[in-house]
């Protein structure tokens, strides 16, 4: 099992709909979770982080964390074409040497 | 404007040559990192430094070397020992030393081996 796993997509969503991106992780003790957005050919940009179970909202973005099921999600409401990008999930794993591990990313396309 | 500057953005190298990628930051961050990204893969950590004159290997350090002589600068050398160096290289920094996921990235350097 990969330490941090995402569906690579592509995920295609119509404009105005909710885009749902999922990420699972292997280390049950992990405490810190991050979502990065990466436009094609560009560098990643941190858009959300979450440390506690439940939901965290920031504008059109909501991060959801379920530690019991070991998954973290990113919801994008009212999706816009400008949301088309690859979304990277990152988790600080604590088993063994603590380290930040990135998933392979999910490519999201918002269709006008 | 504060930020991280990487150069060059594009670089071509012949097999057997060493190349050095530059990374400069004016964010006054203590910690700096080098990541490698291959198509369809997540970022993998090459080296990181939490303080001047000190650095640690990441998951894929073989074939790479770094230095941290100044707080602002963290250059990466891709040596001829790196068997598959063609990739997108990203430099990052963070306010927090130690484990953090709150990273600020430079624009990246794309290296192609001919």
């Amino acid at each position: 099992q990969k330490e941090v796993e995402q569906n690579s997509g592509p995920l295609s969503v119509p404009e105005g709909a909710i885009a749902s991106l999922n990420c699972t992780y292997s280390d049950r003790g992990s405490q810190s979770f991050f979502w990065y957005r990466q436009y094609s050919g560009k560098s990643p940009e941190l858009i959300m982080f979450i440390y506690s179970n439940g939901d965290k909202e920031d504008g059109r973005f909501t991060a959801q964390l379920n530690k019991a099921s070991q998954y973290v999600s990113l919801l994008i409401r009212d999706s816009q074409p400008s949301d088309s990008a690859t979304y990277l999930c990152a988790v600080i794993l604590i088993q063994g040497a603590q380290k930040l591990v990135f998933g392979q990313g999910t490519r999201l396309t918002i269709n006008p | 404007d504060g930020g991280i500057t990487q150069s060059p953005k594009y670089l071509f190298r012949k097999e057997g040559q060493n190349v050095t990628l530059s990374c400069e930051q004016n964010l006054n961050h203590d910690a700096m990192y080098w990541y490698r990204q291959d198509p369809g893969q997540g970022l993998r950590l090459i080296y990181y430094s939490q303080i001047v004159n000190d650095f640690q290997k990441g998951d894929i350090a073989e074939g790479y070397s770094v230095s941290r002589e100044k707080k602002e600068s963290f250059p990466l050398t891709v040596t001829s020992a790196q068997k598959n160096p063609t990739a997108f290289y990203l430099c990052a920094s963070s306010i927090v030393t130690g484990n953090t996921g709150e990273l600020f990235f430079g624009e990246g350097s794309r290296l192609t081996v001919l």
Side-chain angles (χ1 to χ4, degrees):
Chain A
Q1 182 189 2
K2 288 184 180 178
E3 293 173 314
V4 179
E5 195 152 8
Q6 298 178 252
N7 187 327
S8 59
L11 175 65
S12 187
V13 172
E15 184 176 357
I18 296 175
S20 177
L21 304 159
N22 298 315
C23 172
T24 59
Y25 58 95
S26 60
D27 179 2
R28 182 173 289 277
S30 297
Q31 300 291 324
S32 307
F33 308 86
F34 307 85
W35 283 100
Y36 284 82
R37 177 178 61 201
Q38 185 175 25
Y39 292 114
S40 181
K42 302 297 184 182
S43 59
E45 173 192 15
L46 179 66
I47 55 172
M48 290 284 286
F49 56 85
I50 185 166
Y51 302 138
S52 304
N53 257 342
D55 294 0
K56 179 182 178 183
E57 190 174 313
D58 183 1
R60 295 187 297 112
F61 297 94
T62 299
Q64 298 178 317
L65 175 59
N66 184 324
K67 290 184 179 179
S69 300
Q70 294 175 237
Y71 80 78
V72 55
S73 300
L74 180 69
L75 302 180
I76 307 174
R77 289 183 301 281
D78 187 24
S79 297
Q80 303 296 310
S82 59
D83 295 325
S84 297
T86 295
Y87 290 80
L88 300 166
C89 171
V91 179
I92 295 180
L93 306 181
I94 64 171
Q95 282 182 352
Q98 288 195 14
K99 60 178 182 178
L100 180 71
V101 177
F102 284 83
Q104 73 270 37
T106 298
R107 188 155 59 92
L108 173 67
T109 300
I110 306 300
N111 300 308
Chain B
D1 278 338
I4 301 176
T5 302
Q6 289 187 240
S7 63
K9 288 191 176 179
Y10 299 94
L11 184 60
F12 298 89
R13 184 193 99 172
K14 293 182 180 179
E15 284 195 21
Q17 287 182 335
N18 293 355
V19 293
T20 297
L21 308 180
S22 169
C23 178
E24 303 279 332
Q25 56 104 351
N26 60 4
L27 299 168
N28 200 33
H29 288 175
D30 285 313
M32 297 186 73
Y33 311 80
W34 274 104
Y35 283 90
R36 169 180 172 143
Q37 187 175 33
D38 294 283
Q41 295 195 35
L43 279 63
R44 292 184 290 168
L45 182 64
I46 304 172
Y47 269 98
Y48 66 100
S49 168
Q50 299 191 43
I51 195 170
V52 174
N53 292 324
D54 188 41
F55 47 83
Q56 285 78 40
K57 293 182 179 180
D59 297 321
I60 56 165
E62 185 175 350
Y64 300 98
S65 66
V66 294
S67 64
R68 187 87 186 275
E69 297 176 1
K70 298 187 300 181
K71 185 175 182 177
E72 303 79 20
S73 179
F74 192 39
L76 173 74
T77 297
V78 184
T79 75
S80 56
Q82 169 49 235
K83 298 304 179 190
N84 185 19
T86 294
F88 188 43
Y89 290 89
L90 289 157
C91 179
S93 70
S94 65
I95 296 173
V96 176
T97 57
N99 278 303
T100 179
E102 299 180 41
L103 303 178
F104 295 83
F105 285 91
E107 293 189 344
S109 293
R110 195 169 297 278
L111 172 63
T112 302
V113 174
L114 303 173

